[in-house]
Amino acid sequence: MSRYDEMNELLDQLEPDITKFYEKGNKAAGTRARKTLQAMKKKAQEIRMEIQEWKNTGKV
């Protein structure tokens, strides 16, 4: 699975919970949304570090 697909999958997981939280006021959905956003932040950091490593080693 590509890094783009991994981020896209997390975004797909986020969408219904964000909708439930903001449109219906579902607090549990807000908790799930926060958890997914944290996972996205972690994945983004991993990707950033990988990109930097590739730049520094000349893989690109």
Side-chain angles (χ1 to χ4, degrees):
M1 179 179 287
S2 74
R3 292 296 195 172
Y4 176 79
D5 291 338
E6 291 173 13
M7 288 297 287
N8 207 21
E9 183 179 317
L10 287 170
L11 186 59
D12 289 342
Q13 292 174 13
L14 177 64
E15 185 177 7
D17 290 328
I18 288 287
T19 302
K20 287 177 187 175
F21 178 73
Y22 283 110
E23 293 181 4
K24 299 179 182 177
N26 185 323
K27 290 181 181 180
T31 301
R32 289 189 302 271
R34 287 177 45 238
K35 182 178 179 183
T36 303
L37 286 166
Q38 186 65 33
M40 289 178 76
K41 179 182 174 184
K42 182 179 176 186
K43 185 60 66 179
Q45 184 64 28
E46 289 173 10
I47 293 169
R48 290 182 70 234
M49 292 187 67
E50 182 178 280
I51 290 170
Q52 190 64 42
E53 183 181 327
W54 281 39
K55 284 174 49 180
N56 291 341
T57 61
K59 285 187 175 182
V60 179

